[in-house]
Amino acid sequence: WEIMPKDRDLPKWKEMLQLLEQRRAFRNFSMIVNAIDGKPRKLTYAAVPLFDDAGDFTGYRGTTTDDSKEFLLEAELAESQVSKRSMYTETEDHIYLLGLNGTIIDLSAAAANFHNAEREDLVGTKFYDLLTPEQKEDRFRRIQNVIETKTSELYEAKVNNRYFSTNIVPLVGDGDRVTNISLHARDITQIKSSEEIIRRTQKMEALGQLTGGISHEFNNILTVILGNLGLLKQKFSGSKDASELVENS
């Protein structure tokens, strides 16, 4: 085992050294150590001092408990919270964690900026109060449907001249009961603009093909007409009036 450097300077470690120097009993002394496999472990010690018949100290007798499972769970939880906070602060998506009544439990920085507000000012308020009456009715209906069916819903909506792809997800807890709602909205305005440009380009290409086809057919007809007029001119070459009529045509 190797004691973690950060533990060596803790007050509890200094207190532990004092107890050992005084040959006193101790219990519930925990520290983080590195095992041979390189993974951290949390060990908890309890011991009593041993003395011989002459009263001289001979050592300690005690127990060591491996509390690594609890320690690792705490570490995973802390890492998860850091990861979640990082996601909420760094993402450009609009993320809302809502209570079943629409109360904002947490939201991303991008979502707060969209409403021209600070995150702290919006936490605890109602999500529906940020919407227009029409938007409020639509979002309330969708969220209630997600709660009742326990099924996520993906849809697109236009808000303040911006297009968003939004996914409403039910968060299910104990007893298969929906406890919270996660609303994740991604700005797809640029994608929509690109799609519109592509549609317009395709329409122009189709129109060009149609115009080219009509022009080609007209040329075919015109060729036939001119050919027939040439034949008529040759046939009535002896008649001045007939030749003039054909020429004027």
Side-chain angles (χ1 to χ4, degrees):
W1 305 97
E2 178 186 358
I3 301 173
M4 299 287 281
K6 65 179 182 179
D7 277 345
R8 296 172 181 172
D9 296 328
L10 293 177
K12 66 174 185 179
W13 182 250
K14 296 178 180 180
E15 293 176 3
M16 180 63 180
L17 290 178
Q18 292 179 354
L19 290 175
L20 294 176
E21 291 174 356
Q22 297 170 5
R23 311 303 191 219
R24 295 170 56 186
F26 61 88
R27 58 183 298 183
N28 296 328
F29 176 74
S30 298
M31 63 180 177
I32 309 301
V33 299
N34 273 333
I36 297 177
D37 59 7
K39 296 181 179 180
R41 295 285 189 275
K42 181 180 180 181
L43 303 179
T44 301
Y45 301 92
V48 294
L50 300 177
F51 301 91
D52 58 20
D53 295 338
D56 295 326
F57 174 74
T58 59
Y60 275 96
R61 181 177 64 193
T63 60
T64 302
T65 304
D66 189 344
D67 294 327
S68 300
K69 183 177 181 180
E70 177 184 353
F71 164 72
L72 293 175
L73 287 175
E74 292 175 352
E76 289 178 2
L77 178 60
E79 183 179 354
S80 175
Q81 292 175 338
V82 170
S83 176
K84 174 188 173 184
R85 190 70 263 149
S86 176
M87 177 186 70
Y88 272 65
T89 55
E90 296 178 5
T91 182
E92 295 182 358
D93 294 343
H94 299 186
I95 303 176
Y96 304 82
L97 179 62
L98 307 176
L100 300 186
N101 62 351
T103 299
I104 299 176
I105 299 173
D106 204 350
L107 75 165
S108 64
N113 291 336
F114 184 75
H115 299 291
N116 298 317
E118 296 294 331
R119 169 186 169 276
E120 293 75 13
D121 296 331
L122 294 179
V123 171
T125 64
K126 287 296 196 304
F127 169 71
Y128 302 115
D129 292 341
L130 302 175
L131 310 174
T132 65
E134 181 180 352
Q135 294 169 349
K136 179 178 180 180
E137 181 180 354
D138 177 76
R139 305 306 186 272
F140 180 81
R141 176 181 57 80
R142 293 181 185 276
I143 290 176
Q144 291 305 308
N145 181 64
V146 168
I147 294 174
E148 294 173 3
T149 62
K150 300 178 185 177
T151 304
S152 61
E153 180 175 345
L154 180 65
Y155 67 97
E156 292 184 6
K158 185 177 181 181
V159 181
N160 297 345
N161 295 321
R162 307 292 297 181
Y163 289 94
F164 291 90
S165 175
T166 304
N167 192 18
I168 305 176
V169 180
L171 303 181
V172 180
D174 296 336
D176 195 33
R177 184 174 59 88
V178 177
T179 57
N180 296 106
I181 292 294
S182 173
L183 191 150
H184 193 140
R186 176 162 295 177
D187 192 331
I188 58 171
T189 305
Q190 188 61 44
I191 297 176
K192 283 288 187 181
S193 298
S194 300
E195 291 176 348
E196 182 61 25
I197 293 175
I198 292 174
R199 280 195 294 268
R200 290 179 181 177
T201 302
Q202 291 174 339
K203 287 181 179 179
M204 292 300 294
E205 290 177 351
L207 181 60
Q209 292 174 357
L210 178 61
T211 304
I214 293 174
S215 176
H216 177 71
E217 294 298 327
F218 180 76
N219 287 335
N220 289 340
I221 296 172
L222 185 60
T223 300
V224 173
I225 294 174
L226 292 176
N228 289 332
L229 288 174
L231 293 174
L232 288 173
K233 184 176 181 181
Q234 292 177 6
K235 184 175 181 179
F236 296 104
S237 60
S239 173
K240 182 179 179 181
D241 294 338
S243 296
E244 289 180 354
L245 288 173
V246 173
E247 187 67 31
N248 293 332
S249 299

